[in-house]
Amino acid sequence: MLTTRPTSLCVGFFLLFLSLPLSTLSQPSMSSDSVYDSFLKCLSEKTKTPQSQIAKIVFSQANPSYTSVLRAYIRNARFNTSSTPKPTIIVTPLSESHVSAAVLCSKPLDFVFKIRSGGHDYDGLSYISDKPFFILDLSNLRDVSVDLADQTAWISAGATLGEVYYRIWEKSKTLGFPAGVCPTVGVGGHLSGAGYGNMLRKFGLTADHFIDAKMVDVNGAVLDRKAMGEDLFWAISGGGGGSFGVVLGYKVKLVPVPATVTVFRVEQLMAAGAVDMVHKWQFVGPKTDKNLFMRMLIQPVTRNKVKTIRATVVALYLGKADDVVSLLAKELPELALKKENCTEMTWFQSALWWDNRVNATQTDPKVFLDRNLDSSSPGKRKSDYVATEIPRSGIVSLFNKMIELGKIGLVFNPYGGRMADIAEDATPFPHRNMLFKIQYSVNWKESSPELEKGYLNQAKVLHSFMTGFVSKNPRGAYLNYRDVDIGVNDHGENSYKEGEVYGRMYFGKNFDRLVKIKTAVDPGNFFRNEQSIPTLPIAKRTGVTERGTAKRWSGAGGATIVASVLLHVF
Ligand code: FDA
């Protein structure tokens, strides 16, 4: 649950000297109308655009389009209710200068500044807060430009993965990009939080393919890799953009894909040997040919009025059907894969197939340009990592537990291959040497609070049940499978300690470097959310070199703030 303690204006504002009384800046006490008016005035001045024009991208709650703009990118219906906290203002920039101005004009206001690209945060952190907040919605910044000559692409934060795949497909049938399998996921959150998809065993994480990036920092400056420096570039390559600035986009290296790939989906019930198949999968999935990614879905189902477990392998093989059938006949005979289970297609069609389009070879590629606005069901996700195979008896007890709980399912995503070749500190993502990742997954249709409570509880109970089987000290979690159950930050005096709890689970030892970078680039903790990287407590900032440059800016209410800014660490 999110906490409800009130925040103070000065919280986290290191070395901040205010030249006006605090009350002048404490904007949440202002009416929404005056916040809107002063924000609009500031935006108009900074962008040198008439207020009537800039008003088209700023939505107060009084605007008739406010609700549709807000709901368009709410991707978890759990946070799409009348009681869900709503932002005071939503800004939908059309250009980089709008983003810079939005940062500068929000800074003097005591509102939490939420950044949203595709809105797929599983716990809604890009569009909810229990404190007064704005949303910066980047969905209009969606350019994707593919350069065939050097096999790269610039992809903007507000683009969806479907748009990225489509734009690559338009230009080349033998290039692809190793990112997530859901086409409506946004680039901004997915890439900055590391990202992975079904080519992970061959090519590693999405973040392993960054060449350059563009972001707006806390001073409103637009920085590329050279200007931001290698530390900050490293941080936004998996550490989550939302702690460091507003990511505008990434330049990425595309990867070669064969002209023909193979997909298959094979199911097994407990009575047909699912226990043995799942047990053996652990020894094969993470070690087999790196062209093969076999995701394992484990779900409670009812068959002939009896509750049981269904284990489903959903796979992508970067090669021909005959080859994968003979490979698995040797390595995983328990799966009993046959050629008729397999379909050969192009890589782009396989992306459609993974999006549950059974007739992928007949599907119009343009469906990937459809953003499916305002469509989602309520759900909850959690994550874990497995470092050593779960014994057969453990699989049996897990299946029995899942039957008892009734709804929650698990997804096992195999690692190995390229993942294990890359150092744990090459990016902020530390879980390179794990055998596989577990996603706990539950979605429901009903809108009953009682049922919701029950489903959320199933997720917690199963997570707790798995303790003996998963990584420890710290227990791992994947940032992009956002889970506020593992800890939240109130950004008060215990911010560092609170941040360490979830931060070590997401980032392991890399948390320390992320904190130093955060302290250097955003010492006032403007870019914060319930699970952002905290700044170092002042007493511990000795390792951070303070350049001491004074920075001055004007608030929307005319307030002037002077802050000493830390420019660099190390
Ligand atoms: P959203 O806009 O909600 O942002 C997520 C977080 O990133 C928030 O904290 C937000 O503030 C921050 N953020 C967003 N844009 C930013 C920007 N421009 N600058 C700075 N910070 C920014 N993951 C995966 O690795 N592989 C997969 O296959 C899938 N599949 C998948 C399917 C579905 C249906 C869902 C709902 C989610 C996934 N995910 C996933 C998880 C997904 O990668 C994760 O939720 C991403 O953070 C989503 O990015 P969005 O931009 O859509 O989310």
Side-chain angles (χ1 to χ4, degrees), residues 394-416:
I395 302 285
V396 173
S397 65
L398 169 62
F399 282 14
N400 288 335
K401 188 71 191 175
M402 292 176 74
I403 290 171
E404 177 196 318
L405 290 170
K407 178 120 178 125
I408 180 109
L410 296 179
V411 184
F412 291 179
N413 290 288
Y415 279 20

Side-chain angles (χ1 to χ4, degrees), residues 73 75 114-122 124-127 138 157 161 179-182 184-197 206 240-243 245-248 295 381 437 439 478-482 529:
Y73 294 97
R75 299 305 195 171
K114 290 289 177 131
I115 309 165
R116 182 169 78 172
S117 288
H120 281 64
D121 191 295
Y122 280 121
L125 298 196
S126 58
Y127 55 85
L138 296 168
L161 296 183
V181 298
C182 171
T184 54
V185 164
V187 163
H190 183 68
L191 270 65
S192 65
Y196 83 95
T206 313
S243 300
V246 182
V247 172
L248 296 170
R295 173 176 278 181
R381 299 291 187 273
K437 171 168 64 187
Q439 183 192 68
Y478 176 40
L479 178 71
N480 268 346
Y481 289 172
R482 177 83 67 194
N529 63 44

Side-chain angles (χ1 to χ4, degrees), residues 361-382:
T361 53
Q362 310 301 319
T363 305
D364 181 353
K366 282 207 166 64
V367 295
F368 266 15
L369 300 180
D370 183 355
R371 292 184 157 229
N372 276 318
L373 300 181
D374 193 6
S375 59
S376 65
S377 58
K380 174 67 188 167
R381 299 291 187 273
K382 299 173 82 66

Side-chain angles (χ1 to χ4, degrees), residues 5 11-13 487-503 511 515 518 523-525 527-538 541:
R5 263 189 284 157
V11 167
F13 274 76
V488 289
N489 204 316
D490 201 31
H491 301 291
E493 59 185 19
N494 295 321
S495 172
Y496 177 80
K497 276 201 171 329
E498 288 168 356
E500 222 184 351
V501 176
Y502 55 83
F511 174 74
V515 169
K518 166 73 179 179
N525 198 18
F527 292 112
R528 63 186 185 275
N529 63 44
E530 290 75 0
Q531 287 195 333
S532 52
I533 300 295
T535 53
L536 271 174
I538 289 172
R541 292 191 186 190

Side-chain angles (χ1 to χ4, degrees), residues 268-271 273-284 286 296-300 308-312 332 334 386 388-404 410-412 435-436 438 462 465-466 468-470:
Q268 249 177 38
L269 294 174
M270 253 174 116
V275 169
D276 289 326
M277 197 266 280
V278 172
H279 180 244
K280 179 78 176 293
W281 172 93
Q282 302 176 94
F283 296 84
V284 178
M296 174 72 76
L297 311 177
I298 302 173
Q299 286 158 309
T308 184
I309 289 291
R310 181 181 65 202
T312 310
L332 191 59
E334 293 80 355
V386 175
T388 16
E389 296 86 358
I390 302 169
R392 192 183 184 282
S393 59
I395 302 285
V396 173
S397 65
L398 169 62
F399 282 14
N400 288 335
K401 188 71 191 175
M402 292 176 74
I403 290 171
E404 177 196 318
L410 296 179
V411 184
F412 291 179
L435 282 180
F436 58 97
I438 299 179
L462 193 59
F465 175 85
M466 291 300 284
F469 299 127
V470 297

Side-chain angles (χ1 to χ4, degrees), residues 36 39 55 116 149 160 254 262-263 295 304 374 403 570:
Y36 174 78
F39 185 73
R116 182 169 78 172
T160 62
L254 304 177
T262 302
V263 296
R295 173 176 278 181
N304 303 322
D374 193 6
I403 290 171
F570 322 120

